[in-house]
Amino acid sequence: MAWEAPPRPMSGDTPIRDHVRQILSSLGEDPDREGLARTPERVEKALQFLTKGYAQDADALLNEALFTVNYEEMVIIKEIDVYSLCEHHLLPFFGKAHVAYIPKGRVMGLSKVPRLVDMFARRLQVQERLTVQIAEAIQEKVKPQGVAVVIEAMHFCMIMRGVEKQNSVAVTSCMLGSFRDQIQTREEFLSLIKKKHNGLG
Ligand SMILES: [Zn+2]
């Protein structure tokens, strides 16, 4: 699959905490002062948590969560929290994902959709790839008539630089199958995710 996860970065022999300690020194800090003494260990744990999606895969996640159901209308899960790390700066980006699909005899457990989003978000990402990965995973595993994913997110690497970019929200979308082929389906989805919108921007 074109957008399958990149291989987990090599961990090497040196623990992350040692690298973090080196970074602190390189920044001109004293890694032994009280406030920083346990920072390398904390950063290591945080990075491991925030990238734990590398150790998960869609097959295991959706195992036993696909059901045969005679329902062929749109299923939408709106406003799923997204927290990820941009792979260019290792800074967070966060926002909301909206996911829809039209089943073809088979549905996935509703609770699995946010977990699928999380699985891909907890890797080093760019928002565009994250969007496509979620859509393609559902397309491949559920084989529905179509899938749509929209993500709206704010990126710390933009927010923390440049005053004029402080409130900008990046919006990405991926439409597959009937969402790509049928304007009416796509517009129904887009109007449904706009309703009672409590998102950013
Ligand atoms: Zn960035």
Side-chain angles (χ1 to χ4, degrees):
M1 191 161 80
W3 289 94
E4 194 43 271
R8 184 163 178 79
M10 294 296 289
S11 55
D13 296 329
T14 312
I16 294 170
R17 62 188 70 188
D18 293 352
H19 292 292
V20 175
R21 190 181 155 83
Q22 184 58 51
I23 289 169
L24 291 172
S25 294
S26 300
L27 290 171
E29 268 289 359
D30 169 12
D32 293 316
R33 73 176 170 83
E34 194 187 343
L36 293 178
R38 293 193 54 235
T39 297
E41 197 185 320
R42 291 191 201 97
V43 173
E44 179 178 291
K45 282 189 180 148
L47 283 174
Q48 283 167 342
F49 177 81
L50 295 172
T51 60
K52 69 180 184 181
Y54 285 117
Q56 302 172 303
D57 69 73
D59 281 326
L61 191 77
L62 296 178
N63 191 27
E64 296 176 11
L66 296 173
F67 309 100
T68 303
V69 173
N70 188 17
Y71 178 84
E72 304 214 335
E73 302 299 324
M74 196 181 297
V75 177
I76 306 186
I77 299 96
K78 297 202 304 185
E79 295 177 12
I80 301 165
D81 287 325
V82 172
Y83 297 99
S84 192
L85 282 181
C86 100
E87 68 183 19
H88 299 140
H89 303 92
L90 301 190
L91 288 172
F93 65 95
F94 68 98
K96 300 287 183 187
H98 314 288
V99 176
Y101 70 100
I102 301 175
K104 197 162 60 188
R106 197 147 76 137
V107 299
M108 61 192 286
L110 287 176
S111 68
K112 297 294 179 179
V113 178
R115 292 187 58 197
L116 192 70
V117 171
D118 249 10
M119 182 190 87
F120 287 118
R122 289 198 175 135
R123 298 173 183 185
L124 303 184
Q125 279 290 7
V126 295
Q127 186 179 329
E128 294 87 339
R129 185 174 64 224
L130 174 61
T131 309
V132 174
Q133 283 178 334
I134 296 164
E136 290 194 339
I138 295 172
Q139 184 65 46
E140 193 183 300
K141 306 302 172 198
V142 188
K143 302 197 183 341
Q145 297 175 47
V147 183
V149 177
V150 168
I151 297 180
E152 305 168 278
M154 297 179 89
H155 293 244
F156 269 72
C157 57
M158 287 177 73
I159 298 168
M160 294 181 77
R161 303 186 293 189
V163 177
E164 79 273 27
K165 292 173 181 166
Q166 280 194 347
N167 291 311
S168 54
V169 176
V171 182
T172 47
S173 70
C174 178
M175 307 282 166
L176 302 176
S178 50
F179 288 90
R180 173 174 285 179
D181 303 335
Q182 294 167 21
I183 291 175
Q184 212 181 329
T185 304
R186 186 161 65 239
E187 298 207 320
E188 184 188 344
F189 166 66
L190 293 173
S191 78
L192 285 167
I193 64 171
K194 269 180 208 141
K195 267 186 205 163
K196 273 176 65 183
H197 189 271
N198 72 352
L200 308 148

